[in-house]
C-alpha cells in the first residue's frame, strides 16, 4: 500500500527534480524496448495461462459428467446383456441417462484409426453405453458391484484414469504460463535495474552537484525512478497493445484446431492484459528505486 | 531593508540596488551566538597515512577565515569535513551543533542546505540554463516557488542577468565563479565555504568575487576560504576582520598577522 502511494506521489511528482537529470538516450531506449518486449511476451503468457485454465476446467467438467460402460459378450448375448445393463443403469441413483451407442456412432469413433470402410457389424466390437450423470453423480463402486452380478461382461469406465492426467497437464500448463509471467517480471526488473545503474553511473557528475546543494538520496533517486517508471509504463503499453493485436490475428478456434487455436482471451479475460502496463510500471518503480538508493549509498 | 552598494559597481554602470530579499530569510535557528561549524581534535587519514591530526577550528556566525597551506596539505579535505562530505577519522566535527558522525545521510543533506559551497572547478548541470542551476538548491529544498521571485535580484547582484538563459558551458571562468557563488548563497546559508574560488580567474575578477564574499560576511554569514593567493588575503584584510589559518605539518596554525 505504501509502495502504491509512493508510486502515485512519484507519477505526480516534482518535474523540477526530473529536469535535473539529463535525458539519456541509451538507457531510455533500452528501458522502452525491454518493457515493450516483455509486455508483448507477457500477453502471450497470460493468454496461455487463461486458455489452459479454460481447457482444464472444460475437460474436468465434461469428463466428470459422463462415463462409459463397455459390454463384451458373445454376439448372441450382446443384446440381452446390453438391455440388462441399461436397466441396471436406469435404476441407479445419480445416473441421469444411459444410452447404447448406435453402430454408426461406434463406427465414427473408430474411423480415425481404421478408416471409413470398417465393417463394424462383422467384428466382435464391444457395445458402448454412454452414461450421463446427474448433479451428484453415482456411486461407482456400488454400480460396479451390481453390474458384476447382473451383467458379467460389463466394464465401467468413469474416465477417472483419463481425466486426472489431462486435467493435471492442463493445470501444469497454466502454472507454466504464470511462471513465465513471473520470470518476465523478474527479467524486466533485472534489465531496468541494469539500465538504471548505467544511467546513475553516467550521471555521477549530476549526482555530485545535487548532493553539493543538499539533495537527499530520495530526491535524487526520485528523479531517476520517475523517469524509468514512466518509460516502463510507456514501453509496456505499446508492447501490450502489440500483443493484443497479435492475439487477435491468431486463427479462430475451431473443432479441428484444438488447443493452439483456442489461445487467446474470452469475455472479461480481455481485461487482463490491461494489468500488464501498470504491473511493469510498479516493477520498474521498485527495481529502479532499489538500484538508485543502493548506488547512491555506494557512491557516497 | 538595508541598501548596499552593488558589488560590481566598477564593472557595470554604478548603481545602488537592494540586497537580494532572501538574504537573512533563513528561518533555521540554533546557531546564533554559537559556532556554526566546529572541529575538535579532528584527524583524517587517507591511504594509510595521516593527513592531519589534533585539528581544532571554530567557525562562528559572522566570522571570516582564510585557509592556506602548501599543495597536498589537506585544505580541500578539511573543507570537505566542514560540509560533511568526508567523516573525520577521529575527533568530532559538529555541524550546527550536531555531531556529523552521528548524522544520517538525510541529516547531512539538510546541513548542506545551510552551507554554501564554491569550488575552484565550479560544477553545474550542463544541460540546464544558468538560472535553473543557480536555483537548484531551492528546487532541492522544495522552496522554488516561494523564493523564485528573488532569483532575478540575485543574478543581478552577481552581474549575470543577461546570462540567465545561457548554458554553463557557454560561460567564462569568471561568470562560472560568480554563478557558483550565487548558487551557494541563494538559500541564504549560515556559512559559505569556498575552495580556491579565484584559482581560475584574473585579479580583477578575484577582487569582484572577494567583494561579494565580504558583503555576505557583513550580512552575518560565516565565510571560510581556502586559497594560495596572498594578495587576495591582503585585500580582504583591508576590508574585513579576517583570520588566516595555515595547514602545515599536519597541524592547523594561525598565520601571518594572526601569529
Amino acid at each position: 500500500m505504501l509502495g502504491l502511494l509512493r508510486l502515485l506521489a512519484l507519477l505526480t511528482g516534482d518535474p523540477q527534480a526530473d529536469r535535473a537529470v539529463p535525458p539519456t538516450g541509451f538507457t531510455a531506449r533500452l528501458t522502452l524496448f525491454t518493457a515493450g518486449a516483455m509486455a508483448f511476451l507477457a500477453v502471450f503468457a497470460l493468454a496461455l495461462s487463461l486458455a489452459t485454465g479454460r481447457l482444464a476446467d472444460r475437460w474436468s467438467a465434461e469428463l466428470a459428467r459422463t462415463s462409459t460402460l463397455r459390454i463384451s459378450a458373445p454376439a448372441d448375448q450382446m443384446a440381452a446383456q446390453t438391455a440388462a445393463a441399461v436397466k441396471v443403469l436406469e435404476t441407479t441413483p445419480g445416473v441421469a441417462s444411459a444410452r447404447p451407442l448406435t453402430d454408426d456412432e461406434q463406427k465414427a469413433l473408430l474411423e480415425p484409426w481404421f478408416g471409413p470402410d470398417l465393417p463394424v457389424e462383422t467384428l466382435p466390437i464391444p457395445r458402448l453405453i454412454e452414461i450421463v450423470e446427474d448433479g451428484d453423480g453415482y456411486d461407482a463402486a456400488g454400480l460396479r458391484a451390481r453390474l458384476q452380478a447382473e451383467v458379467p461382461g460389463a466394464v465401467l469406465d468413469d474416465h477417472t484414469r483419463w481425466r486426472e492426467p489431462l486435467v493435471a497437464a492442463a493445470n501444469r500448463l497454466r502454472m507454466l504460463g504464470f511462471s513465465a509471467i513471473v520470470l518476465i517480471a523478474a527479467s524486466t526488473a533485472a534489465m531496468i535495474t541494469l539500465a538504471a545503474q548505467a544511467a546513475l553511473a553516467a550521471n555521477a557528475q549530476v549526482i555530485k552537484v545535487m548532493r553539493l546543494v543538499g539533495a537527499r538520496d530520495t530526491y535524487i533517486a526520485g528523479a531517476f525512478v520517475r523517469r524509468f517508471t514512466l518509460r516502463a509504463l510507456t514501453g509496456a503499453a505499446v508492447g501490450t497493445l502489440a500483443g493484443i493485436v497479435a492475439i487477435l490475428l491468431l486463427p479462430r478456434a475451431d473443432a479441428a484446431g484444438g488447443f493452439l487455436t483456442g489461445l487467446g482471451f474470452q469475455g472479461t479475460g480481455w481485461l487482463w492484459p490491461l494489468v500488464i502496463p501498470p504491473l511493469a510500471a510498479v516493477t520498474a518503480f521498485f527495481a529502479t528505486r532499489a538500484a538508485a538508493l543502493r548506488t547512491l549509498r555506494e557512491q557516497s | 531593508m538595508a541598501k548596499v552598494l552593488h558589488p560590481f559597481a566598477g564593472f557595470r554602470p554604478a548603481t545602488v540596488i537592494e540586497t537580494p530579499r532572501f538574504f537573512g530569510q533563513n528561518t533555521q535557528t540554533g546557531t546564533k551566538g554559537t559556532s556554526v561549524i566546529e572541529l575538535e581534535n579532528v584527524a583524517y587519514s587517507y591511504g594509510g597515512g595521516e593527513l592531519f591530526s589534533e585539528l581544532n577550528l571554530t567557525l562562528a556566525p559572522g566570522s571570516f577565515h582564510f585557509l592556506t597551506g602548501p599543495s597536498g596539505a589537506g585544505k580541500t579535505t578539511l573543507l570537505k569535513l566542514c560540509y560533511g562530505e568526508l567523516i573525520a577519522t577521529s575527533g568530532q566535527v559538529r555541524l550546527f551543533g550536531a555531531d556529523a558522525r552521528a548524522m544520517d545521510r538525510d541529516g547531512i543533506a539538510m546541513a548542506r542546505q545551510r552551507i554554501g559551497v564554491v569550488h575552484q572547478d565550479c560544477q553545474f548541470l550542463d544541460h540546464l540554463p544558468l538560472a535553473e542551476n543557480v536555483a537548484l538548491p531551492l528546487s532541492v529544498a522544495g522552496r522554488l516557488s516561494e523564493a523564485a521571485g528573488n532569483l532575478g535580484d540575485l543574478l543581478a547582484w552577481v552581474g549575470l542577468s543577461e546570462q540567465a538563459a545561457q548554458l554553463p558551458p557557454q560561460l567564462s571562468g569568471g561568470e562560472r565563479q560568480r554563478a557558483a557563488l550565487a548558487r551557494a548563497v541563494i538559500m541564504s546559508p549560515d556559512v559559505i565555504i569556498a575552495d580556491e574560488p579565484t584559482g581560475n580567474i584574473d585579479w580583477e575578477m578575484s577582487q569582484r568575487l572577494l567583494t561579494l564574499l565580504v558583503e555576505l560576511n557583513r550580512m552575518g554569514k560565516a565565510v571560510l576560504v581556502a586559497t594560495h593567493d596572498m594578495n587576495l588575503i591582503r585585500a580582504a584584510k583591508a576590508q574585513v576582520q579576517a583570520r588566516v589559518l595555515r595547514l602545515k605539518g599536519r597541524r592547523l596554525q594561525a598565520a601571518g598577522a594572526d601569529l
Side-chain angles (χ1 to χ4, degrees):
Chain A
M1 190 64 188
L2 190 63
L4 284 176
L5 289 175
R6 279 181 184 163
L7 179 65
L8 286 174
L10 175 88
L11 293 176
T12 58
D14 182 356
Q16 195 61 31
D18 209 24
R19 278 179 55 76
V21 180
T24 45
F26 163 70
T27 55
R29 284 193 295 274
L30 181 63
T31 309
L32 279 169
F33 175 75
T34 301
M38 292 301 178
F40 185 83
L41 294 176
V43 170
F44 279 89
L46 192 59
L48 174 72
S49 296
L50 294 178
T52 50
R54 286 195 303 271
L55 200 63
D57 292 343
R58 196 170 69 234
W59 284 346
S60 182
E62 288 178 357
L63 294 176
R65 300 275 306 163
T66 61
S67 49
T68 307
L69 189 67
R70 188 175 73 245
I71 297 171
S72 301
D76 57 335
Q77 295 177 25
M78 183 64 83
Q81 288 210 22
T82 302
V86 169
K87 191 173 178 182
V88 169
L89 291 169
E90 285 174 344
T91 57
T92 300
V95 173
S97 67
R99 180 183 69 86
L101 297 188
T102 63
D103 286 347
D104 287 342
E105 287 172 324
Q106 295 207 160
K107 190 176 177 181
L109 288 173
L110 294 171
E111 193 176 295
W113 283 271
F114 295 105
D117 301 325
L118 181 70
V120 174
E121 58 282 354
T122 63
L123 294 174
I125 294 174
R127 175 64 61 193
L128 299 179
I129 299 176
E130 181 190 63
I131 304 168
V132 177
E133 301 171 23
D134 65 12
D136 298 328
Y138 58 82
D139 172 15
L143 179 58
R144 280 197 180 94
R146 281 184 67 195
L147 289 169
Q148 196 171 13
E150 299 181 31
V151 189
V155 176
L156 178 65
D157 180 359
D158 61 1
H159 298 167
T160 302
R161 67 194 172 103
W162 301 106
R163 186 174 67 212
E164 284 179 352
L166 282 173
V167 171
N171 281 329
R172 281 179 190 166
L173 270 174
R174 177 160 53 181
M175 288 306 298
L176 199 64
F178 284 127
S179 301
I181 291 172
V182 171
L183 285 174
I184 287 168
S187 302
T188 305
M191 290 296 289
I192 289 175
T193 297
L194 287 174
Q197 284 175 337
L200 286 158
N203 287 291
Q205 177 69 18
V206 170
I207 292 168
K208 190 175 177 185
V209 170
M210 291 176 79
R211 279 201 165 128
L212 190 68
V213 299
R216 291 185 293 173
D217 282 359
T218 48
Y219 182 91
I220 301 169
F224 287 91
V225 171
R226 177 181 159 85
R227 183 163 295 186
F228 276 86
T229 301
L230 292 175
R231 282 175 189 162
L233 184 64
T234 306
V238 173
T240 300
L241 189 64
I244 290 173
V245 170
I247 291 282
L248 284 170
L249 292 176
L250 281 176
R252 287 282 176 197
D254 56 46
F259 165 71
L260 280 177
T261 53
L263 188 67
F265 304 103
Q266 289 179 2
T268 55
W270 283 103
L271 296 175
W272 276 107
L274 301 181
V275 175
I276 292 173
L279 193 65
V282 169
T283 303
F285 171 80
F286 286 108
T288 313
R289 184 178 169 81
L293 292 177
R294 186 175 57 248
T295 305
L296 289 171
R297 269 196 306 273
E298 289 168 358
Q299 281 183 358
S300 62
Chain B
M1 185 154 307
K3 300 272 185 179
V4 295
L5 279 174
H6 193 296
F8 295 96
F11 178 63
R12 296 168 64 83
T15 183
V16 176
I17 64 166
E18 284 190 345
T19 302
R21 290 189 294 275
F22 44 85
F23 286 152
Q25 282 185 346
N26 194 332
T27 54
Q28 297 178 34
T29 57
T31 58
K32 192 164 186 176
T34 62
S35 61
V36 287
I37 296 174
E38 191 171 1
L39 281 66
E40 187 178 334
N41 291 323
V42 164
Y44 188 80
S45 299
Y46 178 77
E50 193 173 63
L51 197 55
F52 46 72
S53 61
E54 295 178 30
L55 193 147
N56 293 285
L57 173 65
T58 299
L59 298 183
S63 64
F64 200 123
H65 288 84
F66 281 104
L67 179 63
T68 66
S71 295
K75 296 190 295 295
T76 298
T77 301
L78 176 54
L79 297 189
K80 286 182 175 177
L81 288 170
C82 288
Y83 60 86
E85 185 165 335
L86 295 175
I87 298 297
T89 311
S90 66
Q92 195 176 50
V93 176
R94 283 188 287 275
L95 306 180
F96 309 102
D99 183 359
R101 198 190 307 278
M103 294 167 84
D104 62 12
R105 298 162 62 77
D106 282 355
I108 293 286
M110 297 307 287
R112 281 191 195 165
Q113 292 181 10
R114 302 176 66 184
I115 303 172
V117 181
V118 182
H119 281 293
Q120 179 180 1
D121 55 335
C122 313
Q123 293 169 337
F124 296 97
L125 304 183
D126 287 345
H127 63 289
L128 292 183
L130 172 64
E132 285 191 52
N133 266 288
V134 171
L136 190 62
L138 293 172
S139 172
V140 161
R143 290 173 50 191
L144 189 59
S145 56
E146 71 182 77
N150 298 320
L151 182 59
D153 290 347
L154 179 61
L155 289 175
W157 189 62
V158 295
L160 292 174
S161 295
E162 292 174 8
Q163 288 82 6
Q166 289 185 7
L167 296 176
Q170 297 173 297
L171 301 175
S172 68
E175 288 169 340
R176 289 172 69 88
Q177 290 288 3
R178 281 182 278 150
L181 187 60
R183 185 180 65 187
V185 302
I186 196 166
M187 288 281 286
S188 187
D190 296 300
V191 57
I192 294 150
I193 294 174
D195 188 5
E196 301 282 3
T198 59
N200 288 333
I201 55 178
D202 60 27
W203 172 247
E204 188 184 2
M205 189 57 67
S206 298
Q207 287 297 295
R208 289 169 188 154
L209 273 173
L210 176 64
T211 307
L212 280 172
L213 290 170
V214 168
E215 282 299 333
L216 291 165
N217 179 245
R218 285 174 180 161
M219 293 170 197
K221 315 296 181 191
V223 178
L224 173 61
V225 180
T227 184
H228 282 107
D229 190 344
M230 299 311 291
N231 290 330
L232 184 76
I233 294 173
R234 275 191 284 274
K237 286 176 79 73
Q239 301 177 53
V240 70
Q241 195 169 21
R243 293 201 66 194
V244 182
L245 306 169
R246 183 171 174 80
L247 192 56
K248 187 180 180 186
R250 298 190 296 173
R251 296 288 190 276
L252 191 62
Q253 312 159 339
D258 291 306
L259 280 170

